Amino acid sequence: QWQREYVTSNDPENRAAEMALFLTFLAYSSGGMAVVKTAASALKFYTGLRGQEANIFADPLINTVMKGLDRDFSKPVLQKEGFSPAEVMKLVKYLLREKIAPKLTDLRMATLTLVMYTAALRFEEAAAIDLKNIETLVSGNISITLRKGKMNQLAKDQVIILPKADSGVERDLDVTQLLHRYTTPIKARRYKA
């Protein structure tokens, strides 16, 4: 019916172009890919029943049109909203809330939170940091050597510098101070053993 209404010539060489136009027409007239996918499955089945050897859906033009329609009608990816600096500081303060000394697990989580936020790392990258890859520079900044990152698997020994905070920042909220506070007892225990 569509072919009779919209196609003027019946050239067998233009079957792929006609099919591409038909699928595009279906997508935009019905408002979605569900109808297009159903029609494509039905047409594949129908051409198989007729014994046609050349499958029109293997044509590169049809594949390109289907991918384009998929993109046009796909739902947009909602980006997750990141933490604000105030929210990160509130979380760190909450983790370090003990009057005498925070628990080691809370200190570790607060340290990882600040390291991840300051260096823009994923949890897996921050958790994989080894003590031997942390170095304090003369300036007071901390250098961390990462073995590899999730987004760049080929980047070996990537160095990240964690800046020392300004003098107005609380000691607990300075990532370099917190990292020293967490790693010093661990290093001491490791070297004793």
Side-chain angles (χ1 to χ4, degrees), residues 138-176:
V138 177
S139 61
N141 298 336
I142 290 183
S143 166
I144 299 176
T145 305
L146 299 176
R147 286 174 286 178
K148 64 181 179 179
K150 182 176 180 183
M151 298 305 286
N152 189 359
Q153 297 291 328
L154 301 175
K156 289 194 176 192
D157 301 330
Q158 181 181 4
V159 177
I160 293 174
I161 305 294
L162 298 178
K164 186 176 167 119
D166 297 332
S167 58
V169 176
E170 294 177 44
R171 183 176 187 267
D172 286 344
L173 302 180
D174 178 0
V175 67
T176 58

Side-chain angles (χ1 to χ4, degrees), residues 9 12-13 19 21-23 33 35-36 42 45 66-67 119 121 132 152 169 181 184:
S9 69
E13 297 295 320
M19 185 61 70
L21 284 172
F22 174 65
L23 295 174
M33 280 300 290
V35 174
V36 173
F45 179 72
M66 290 290 279
K67 286 178 186 173
L121 298 175
K132 66 182 178 188
N152 189 359
V169 176
R181 190 172 157 196
T184 303

